[in-house]
Amino acid sequence: INLKGARIDDLLLTQHRETVSKNSKNVRLLSPAGAPDAYFAGFGWSDNGLKPPASDTLWQASGDVLAPGKPVTLDAANAQGQHFRIELSVDDGYMFTVKQTVINGGTAPVRVQPYALISRGASTDASIWTNHVGPVSVHDGNADYDMDYKKLESAPQQFNSAGGWLGFVDKYWLTALVPDQSGSIAGEFRAGNNQTFQGDYQAPSKQLAAGQQDTYTSRFYAGAKEVDRLDHYQKMGIPRFTFAIDWGWFEIIEWPIFLYLSWLFHLVGNSGIAIILLTITIRGLLFPIAQRQFASMA
């Protein structure tokens, strides 16, 4: 966690390597601003007279290690009497929970509007019609794969939604912002300078009276597009989270075949043998039809 600006910007996937080589480096998903492949997530509040911490504010952390069961709280304050907290926790997968709290210690009401963002460069993976790479969002119950980096260079893409999520997909990896599902958001994808792109959302603003506090809870996913994990989080209330994988038109066929192939792989521990067993299974299921075809040809 970068305490300057309260960003998650240095993430290494220790169980994934760039290639199948034993000496291959681990996959680096997130990198700080200024790095060659800068890629990070940030959380904060719109100004609206609030004077929240800026992108160069140095936050104070409650601990040195963020781990499952060990959250870390970041603290900052402004000159008007408002106190800001961001509590970060992480599960045993790829999901962070982010609690953004404003405590109004001033003498006047303030307007509070949380936001979250992901900033990155364009992916080096190719986007093809069978596998979408680039910006993706689920809003109003539907997955939107129509946005790509070229479109963002022409004009920002905006949408409003009740719940849902937004982020960026590569061939194997996903970063996604998951707002509070009980409220609405204003989402946007846009291009920045030096071939950078940003996806962000703003929650509705609210008036916070003196002496009161407000907490907004969201989630941030940064990791592999593993079907079991995506399905797990979808069952926990993130709508259509498995659609981070572009299943295409034939999802109704692909989904059960994938689950069976995955089960075979974990059974035998070898992808090639699992594919052979899948082929034998399908041939066996279709044998009655094939037998009639052979008889008819004969």
Side-chain angles (χ1 to χ4, degrees), residues 217-297:
T217 302
S218 63
R219 285 172 283 182
F220 171 58
Y221 184 95
K225 289 159 54 177
E226 295 175 357
V227 173
D228 289 345
R229 291 200 183 272
L230 298 178
D231 186 52
H232 167 71
Y233 294 126
Q234 181 168 291
K235 290 176 180 177
M236 290 177 62
I238 303 178
R240 294 183 176 266
F241 205 49
T242 57
F243 278 57
I245 299 172
D246 185 3
W247 294 97
W249 295 344
F250 303 104
E251 178 196 3
I252 193 172
I253 300 173
E254 290 180 65
W255 181 262
I257 289 178
F258 173 83
L259 293 180
Y260 180 58
L261 182 61
S262 178
W263 178 79
L264 289 173
F265 169 74
H266 287 92
L267 182 68
V268 300
N270 184 288
S271 297
I273 295 176
I275 292 172
I276 292 173
L277 293 175
L278 172 65
T279 304
I280 292 173
T281 301
I282 293 176
R283 292 289 292 177
L285 292 173
L286 296 178
F287 179 78
I289 298 174
Q291 174 69 7
R292 294 195 178 200
Q293 289 176 330
F294 297 149
S296 176
M297 286 189 292

Side-chain angles (χ1 to χ4, degrees), residues 29-248:
L29 188 58
L30 302 182
S31 297
D37 299 312
Y39 193 175
F40 57 85
F43 306 89
W45 294 264
S46 300
D47 196 321
N48 298 328
L50 178 63
K51 304 299 181 184
S55 60
D56 59 352
T57 297
L58 189 63
W59 294 67
Q60 300 297 315
S62 63
D64 297 328
V65 177
L66 172 63
K70 296 181 179 180
V72 169
T73 300
L74 310 182
D75 285 279
N78 63 15
Q80 298 181 162
Q82 282 80 46
H83 193 79
F84 303 87
R85 289 177 181 167
I86 300 178
E87 181 184 306
L88 297 168
S89 58
V90 65
D91 64 9
D92 60 354
Y94 306 109
M95 188 69 78
F96 296 85
T97 298
V98 184
K99 295 182 179 180
Q100 299 171 241
T101 301
V102 179
I103 302 171
N104 187 4
T107 58
V110 291
R111 185 152 297 276
V112 176
Q113 186 172 31
Y115 73 78
L117 64 86
I118 298 173
S119 177
R120 66 164 300 168
S123 175
T124 56
D125 295 337
S127 182
I128 55 179
W129 72 276
T130 56
N131 184 30
H132 174 74
V133 169
V136 63
S137 65
V138 168
H139 52 92
D140 298 325
N142 297 311
D144 186 353
Y145 302 116
D146 291 337
M147 293 172 283
D148 58 36
Y149 294 117
K150 288 185 178 179
K151 286 184 178 179
L152 298 187
E153 289 175 346
S154 300
Q157 305 292 313
Q158 299 173 332
F159 60 91
N160 294 306
S161 178
W165 57 271
L166 68 143
F168 293 95
V169 291
D170 296 301
K171 186 174 183 180
Y172 299 113
W173 321 114
L174 165 69
T175 56
L177 299 170
V178 185
D180 183 348
Q181 297 299 296
S182 64
S184 61
I185 61 164
E188 181 180 41
F189 288 103
R190 52 182 166 166
N193 298 324
N194 302 319
Q195 288 293 300
T196 60
F197 300 89
Q198 179 171 304
D200 58 65
Y201 72 79
Q202 285 188 323
S205 65
K206 61 174 64 175
Q207 195 86 345
L208 186 62
Q212 300 296 311
Q213 71 177 46
D214 177 74
T215 298
Y216 185 84
T217 302
S218 63
R219 285 172 283 182
F220 171 58
Y221 184 95
K225 289 159 54 177
E226 295 175 357
V227 173
D228 289 345
R229 291 200 183 272
L230 298 178
D231 186 52
H232 167 71
Y233 294 126
Q234 181 168 291
K235 290 176 180 177
M236 290 177 62
I238 303 178
R240 294 183 176 266
F241 205 49
T242 57
F243 278 57
I245 299 172
D246 185 3
W247 294 97

